[in-house]
Amino acid sequence: MNLTPLIAVHATAAIAALLIGPVALWARRGPASTHRVHLHRAAGYAWVTLMLLTAFSALFIRDTQLPNIAGFTPIHLLIPLTLGSLFVAFRRLLQGNIAGHRQAMVSLYIGACVVAGAFTLLPQRYLGQLLWSQWLGLV
């Protein structure tokens, strides 16, 4: 498997989202006097943009080696889940449901960044091959 420009964009956006997400979540923690509203919004908008880029770039990444339908593998189910979760999170925010917004964003970060990120480290995935075979020489 080769690193194509599409995979490079997708991986870069996903890794950046993995790194920026905690900043957005942390900036609104604690008592109201310590909220970092501007940092939260800046990191949050950056994170959402990166998640949209990650989801839309994933539409064009196909894998014919894993079980698939027209090149779409089960991990592609995260695309509508990500887009739907972002919609729900912003709808809750517009409704003034801050707790619901937080829950949706934390769940999306854990599911789409942490859990999906862990799946990319499987030995048959591109990043997994880099990590386990080329960098660590274990597989």
Side-chain angles (χ1 to χ4, degrees):
M1 182 179 282
N2 294 322
L3 181 64
T4 65
L6 178 61
I7 292 174
V9 166
H10 178 78
T12 301
I15 291 168
L18 180 69
L19 297 174
I20 291 174
V23 175
L25 297 173
W26 166 80
R28 291 295 279 194
R29 283 281 194 209
S33 62
T34 63
H35 287 180
R36 298 149 200 92
V37 177
H38 297 297
L39 178 59
H40 173 74
R41 285 189 183 151
Y45 282 126
W47 185 78
V48 168
T49 302
L50 290 165
M51 290 303 294
L52 289 171
L53 181 59
T54 301
F56 285 120
S57 64
L59 281 171
F60 302 101
I61 298 173
R62 303 293 168 82
D63 189 343
T64 56
Q65 294 176 356
L66 294 176
N68 70 83
I69 298 173
F72 292 106
T73 62
I75 200 164
H76 284 92
L77 295 173
L78 287 173
I79 297 168
L81 182 64
T82 297
L83 298 175
S85 294
L86 287 171
F87 174 80
V88 167
F90 279 101
R91 189 177 78 204
R92 288 178 179 170
L93 184 63
L94 290 172
Q95 293 170 340
N97 181 355
I98 303 303
H101 171 72
R102 176 186 299 276
Q103 179 207 11
M105 289 303 211
V106 168
S107 296
L108 182 57
Y109 178 78
I110 291 169
C113 290
V114 176
V115 174
F119 279 111
T120 65
L121 298 178
L122 292 172
Q124 67 269 26
R125 309 285 301 171
Y126 182 77
L127 286 179
Q129 288 176 0
L130 282 176
L131 176 67
W132 304 114
S133 298
Q134 293 182 7
W135 295 341
L136 298 176
L138 298 175
V139 177

